[in-house]
Amino acid sequence: MHVETNAIDDTWKLITLKNDQNISIDILNYGARITNITVPDKDGKLENIVLSYADYKKYKNDPNYFGATVGRVAGRIANSKFELGGKTYILDANESNHHLHGGVNGLHQMIWKTQTFKTDSEVGVELQHNDSNMSGGYPGNIKITVTYKLNNDGELIIDYYAISDEDTILTLTNHSYFNLNGNLKRSINNHLVRLNSSYFVELDEELIPTGNKIKVDNTTFDFRDEQALKAGIETPQKQNQYAKNGYDHYFLLDHQKRNSVIVKEPNSGRIMTIETDQPGVVLYTGNNLDDTLELTERKSEKYLGVTFETQSSPASLEFDDFPNILLNANDPYQKRTSYKFSITDK
């Protein structure tokens, strides 16, 4: 197992984690983001399975949040405001009238401090950022730590820890776009997904939750028995149409089962299994991608990557029966999401 750090410039660093099976993961300290995950296919061919820019400097103005740690609040906050403790807080409006993924100067725009480590069982990097009171409009001085760990079981573990000196709101996630074909050879339309969720959250035409939780039965949102992502892309229902013919929806996880999400790509034989202690996941199929971005392997296009954003729900700021994002002063925020990479049996 191996971990190394390479300087891109005076402030940007790239940390590479590598295990004994030649799985390697690159993490950039700008945005605490994943820029590469190389894993073998069923024939042993090593290829990258995430979207990344060919030029690192493109991350400075990245509306797609490729691989980033996003927050303080992942997702959309309606009308860019919320109430807490009898006070109204105004946030950046960076998507029409709404606040998305922490705003203009969210965590994806920060340079994080790094500390690498290696043990007998894993290699990793701890990234730390202190966000000041009222940064982006959020109350509380908050210390945030994101730790990436890679082990020899082919598992990437992301641990999130934070503590604030005031009551605030927080839900963090990773925004990697996955494409298990490898090196972006094809779209994600034929990826097979099993997602243990009986309900998804209804959106309005501006992708803001209406407060309704809809049963997935007999819809393109039923992934309980595995289906291809093209179900909501090629034969979209009304909710898919709101998301530009795809998915950009929050699914409430049924946590009585292990393996919250399983993703398979039949051609490569790659499998990604996601486990999380978060209450839900946003499934987004890259509906806003176009052909203007120079990525590491090729130009971008719609449906070239899919995200699984494990998190609580910003809709809880308006609706009581949603997984809440409140963080009380001096209470630790601790969450974990893991991604295990494997291949089908030949």
Side-chain angles (χ1 to χ4, degrees), residues 231-296:
I233 293 172
E234 298 177 1
T235 55
Q237 297 178 348
K238 188 175 181 180
Q239 279 292 301
N240 300 118
Q241 291 169 355
Y242 284 171
K244 298 183 179 179
N245 294 337
Y247 300 92
D248 196 356
H249 294 75
Y250 187 74
F251 289 78
L252 294 153
L253 292 171
D254 300 335
H255 271 300
Q256 67 269 28
K257 298 180 182 178
R258 289 194 65 199
N259 303 337
S260 301
V261 185
I262 300 176
V263 189
K264 299 177 182 177
E265 202 294 300
N267 291 296
S268 70
R270 292 186 176 96
I271 301 172
M272 179 173 69
T273 302
I274 303 174
E275 293 188 20
T276 186
D277 54 12
Q278 291 277 22
V281 58
V282 175
L283 171 65
Y284 171 56
T285 45
N287 319 319
N288 293 304
L289 296 176
D290 57 30
D291 62 0
T292 63
L293 305 177
E294 293 286 349
L295 304 182
T296 304

Side-chain angles (χ1 to χ4, degrees), residues 70 74 158 160 171-175 250-251 253 255 260-261 274-283 307-313 333 335-339:
V70 293
I158 308 180
Y160 302 89
T171 185
L172 307 175
T173 196
N174 180 272
H175 207 277
Y250 187 74
F251 289 78
L253 292 171
H255 271 300
S260 301
V261 185
I274 303 174
E275 293 188 20
T276 186
D277 54 12
Q278 291 277 22
V281 58
V282 175
L283 171 65
T307 74
F308 299 93
E309 303 159 48
T310 56
Q311 60 180 92
S312 288
S313 174
Y333 173 95
K335 300 293 181 183
R336 169 175 284 192
T337 297
S338 67
Y339 309 80

Side-chain angles (χ1 to χ4, degrees), residues 35 48 50-59 61-64 66 184 289-301 304:
T35 62
N48 176 38
V50 293
L51 275 62
S52 57
Y53 288 110
D55 179 359
Y56 280 106
K57 293 306 177 186
K58 295 296 183 182
Y59 288 112
N61 296 292
D62 173 23
N64 300 295
F66 285 149
L184 310 184
L289 296 176
D290 57 30
D291 62 0
T292 63
L293 305 177
E294 293 286 349
L295 304 182
T296 304
E297 294 86 4
R298 53 172 286 195
K299 283 199 171 184
S300 59
E301 67 177 49
L304 196 57

